[in-house]
């Protein structure tokens, strides 16, 4: 068994960090004496994803979820930390070394319209990864997968352009393109965020079916914990670049520990006027990732914060088996 791999793990990240330099305008470059500033997008993140598992990465916009997903696929280079895929350390591999792994890990982006070329027919877009990997029978493979994801009649839609399809159909095209190389690991970055409400349930059900049928492993990025509850096995809650709580779906929804997780759960609409909010409302907006707060990043918005929350960074500690929380509250 390779270093960094445990039984059943497909993905492991250790101390993953990503910083982006703040771009300065000409005036700042000429007259500012300040040192280079950095956006702390991902801040010392560690977690694992087991084979066949769906791990949700949840949090508000700006928490670093999408950046984390891109780092796992090495679409971005990490500033520090280690990434293991199937026991192999890939954080510092060059693009030539990563090329042989590309077919095993794929991504579904949030906006299908920006993910598809308007000049490429739907069938050609789905089959394009096979041309890159020099696979024969590209058309037959694309047609079969189109049928599987509900793009029917496949022969008719194969010749269409993206603008001639509905929003739900274009999302299925993006999903089919990601699956055409028979990957093991799929990063789904808010895959239903741009879909109509009527289409979302169908896409989620399709993702569940494909996971079971193809033995896929997902990192499902979402801001909606209700969606995570429907699809995912475990949930990692991210806030301002850090994971603040991670655990099994039932553990997190029944016995959430971190105040931020509890606030996210309390914000889920409940169609019962008799039920009232009991959790304190989280006020304000997520702070700047350029100058994040000291100590626990959540303390400026936390209704339970104390002086010690402003001092040291609370570590992820186990509060029950396979359930960790980065909070100093008992």
């Amino acid at each position: 068994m390779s270093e960094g791999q445990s039984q059943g793990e497909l993905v492991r990240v250790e101390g993953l960090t990503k910083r982006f330099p703040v771009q300065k305008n000409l005036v700042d470059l000429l007259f500012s004496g300040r040192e280079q500033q950095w956006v702390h997008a991902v801040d010392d993140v560690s977690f694992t994803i087991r084979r066949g598992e769906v791990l949700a990465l949840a949090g508000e916009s700006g928490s670093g979820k999408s950046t984390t997903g891109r780092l796992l696929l090495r679409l971005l280079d990490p500033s520090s930390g280690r990434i293991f895929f199937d026991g192999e350390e890939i954080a510092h591999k060059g693009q030539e070394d990563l090329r042989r792994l590309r077919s095993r890990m794929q991504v579904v982006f949030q906006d299908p319209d920006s993910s598809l070329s308007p000049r490429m027919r739907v069938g050609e877009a789905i089959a394009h990864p096979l041309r890159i990997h020099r696979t024969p029978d590209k058309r037959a493979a694309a047609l079969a997968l189109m049928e599987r994801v509900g793009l029917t009649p496949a022969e008719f839609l194969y010749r269409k352009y993206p603008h001639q399809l509905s929003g739900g159909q274009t999302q299925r095209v993006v999903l089919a393109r990601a699956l055409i190389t028979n990957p093991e690991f799929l990063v789904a970055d808010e895959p239903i965020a741009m879909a109509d409400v009527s289409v979302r349930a169908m896409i989620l059900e399709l993702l569940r079916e494909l996971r079971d049928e193809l033995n896929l492993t997902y990192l499902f990025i979402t801001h909606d914990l209700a969606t995570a509850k429907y699809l995912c096995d475990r949930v990692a809650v991210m806030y301002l670049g850090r994971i603040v709580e991670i655990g099994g779906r039932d553990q997190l929804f029944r016995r959430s520990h971190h105040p931020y997780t509890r606030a996210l759960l309390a914000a889920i609409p409940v169609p019962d006027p008799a039920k009232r909010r009991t959790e304190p409302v989280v006020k304000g907006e997520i702070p700047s990732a350029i100058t994040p707060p000291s100590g626990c990043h959540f303390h400026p918005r936390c209704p339970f914060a104390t002086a010690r929350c402003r001092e040291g960074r609370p570590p992820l500690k186990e509060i029950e088996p396979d359930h960790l929380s980065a909070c100093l509250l008992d």
Side-chain angles (χ1 to χ4, degrees):
M1 189 174 295
S2 302
E3 180 189 0
Q5 183 185 23
S6 298
Q7 182 66 35
E9 289 178 1
L10 181 62
V11 177
R12 170 185 285 271
V13 296
E14 299 175 352
L16 190 62
T17 299
K18 180 62 181 179
R19 299 186 304 163
F20 295 99
V22 176
Q23 300 297 322
K24 296 183 178 181
N25 58 38
L26 181 59
V27 174
D28 286 338
L29 289 172
L30 291 175
F31 300 104
S32 175
R34 293 183 300 175
E35 297 181 356
Q36 175 66 60
Q37 291 182 300
W38 299 88
V39 176
H40 302 269
V42 178
D43 185 7
D44 193 18
V45 163
S46 300
F47 61 87
T48 63
I49 309 176
R50 301 157 186 156
R51 290 181 184 276
E53 179 181 58
V54 181
L55 174 68
L57 191 58
E60 294 171 281
S61 296
S63 60
K65 307 184 302 295
S66 295
T67 302
T68 301
R70 286 164 169 77
L71 288 169
L72 263 60
L73 299 175
R74 282 299 314 277
L75 300 177
L76 293 173
D77 295 329
S79 301
S80 62
R82 302 202 295 175
I83 306 167
F84 294 91
F85 179 76
D86 198 14
E88 183 177 358
E89 213 283 338
I90 65 170
H92 306 292
K93 287 187 178 295
Q95 291 303 315
E96 286 300 319
D97 292 328
L98 289 171
R99 189 179 183 86
R100 60 185 172 80
L101 295 174
R102 291 299 183 196
S103 63
R104 300 176 62 193
M105 49 172 70
Q106 292 291 325
V107 61
V108 177
F109 291 110
Q110 176 177 345
D111 184 1
D113 293 331
S114 63
S115 302
L116 297 171
S117 169
R119 298 179 178 85
M120 186 177 288
R121 296 181 189 273
V122 165
E124 295 169 353
I126 293 172
H128 187 67
L130 295 181
R131 188 172 70 180
I132 295 173
H133 293 282
R134 301 176 183 178
T135 304
D137 300 324
K138 296 181 285 293
R139 180 183 173 85
L143 287 170
L145 191 53
M146 288 175 69
E147 292 279 355
R148 178 60 194 87
V149 301
L151 287 167
T152 56
E155 284 280 1
F156 175 74
L157 293 177
Y158 190 97
R159 301 186 300 273
K160 296 295 183 181
Y161 288 96
H163 74 272
Q164 296 175 304
L165 273 58
S166 68
Q169 287 174 322
T170 55
Q171 189 64 69
R172 292 171 190 264
V173 170
V174 173
L175 181 58
R177 184 180 61 181
L179 296 175
I180 195 71
T181 60
N182 295 315
E184 301 167 51
F185 178 53
L186 194 67
V187 173
D189 189 357
E190 305 254 20
I192 63 170
M194 305 295 289
D196 294 337
V197 174
S198 60
V199 175
R200 293 182 182 184
M202 290 186 289
I203 298 296
L204 286 175
E205 185 59 33
L206 178 60
L207 287 170
R208 289 183 66 171
E209 293 173 1
L210 291 170
R211 188 273 292 264
D212 296 336
E213 182 179 321
L214 304 177
N215 194 29
L216 291 167
T217 302
Y218 293 157
L219 177 69
F220 185 80
I221 297 171
T222 182
H223 65 274
D224 182 6
L225 279 177
T227 301
K229 184 178 183 180
Y230 177 79
L231 182 66
C232 302
D233 303 300
R234 288 194 302 143
V235 181
V237 178
M238 199 167 189
Y239 184 80
L240 203 59
R242 297 176 177 176
I243 289 180
V244 297
E245 187 166 1
I246 183 169
R249 176 188 59 200
D250 294 338
Q251 291 173 313
L252 207 81
F253 278 82
R254 293 176 184 172
R255 297 182 298 277
S256 57
H257 181 266
H258 198 281
Y260 180 61
T261 306
R262 284 152 54 186
L264 291 179
L265 290 172
I268 298 175
V270 178
D272 185 350
K275 292 188 176 181
R276 296 174 177 250
R277 177 190 293 272
T278 57
E279 289 291 332
V281 178
V282 174
K283 299 180 180 179
E285 298 181 354
I286 190 167
S288 169
I290 300 175
T291 54
S294 61
C296 173
H297 283 173
F298 187 60
H299 84 257
R301 303 173 68 192
C302 180
F304 309 106
T306 64
R308 62 177 183 157
C309 299
R310 301 176 179 85
E311 299 169 359
R313 172 178 178 172
L316 272 171
K317 61 182 180 181
E318 190 172 66
I319 55 177
E320 61 179 324
D322 202 30
H323 186 185
L324 298 93
S325 175
C327 183
L328 297 175
L329 295 175
D330 295 328

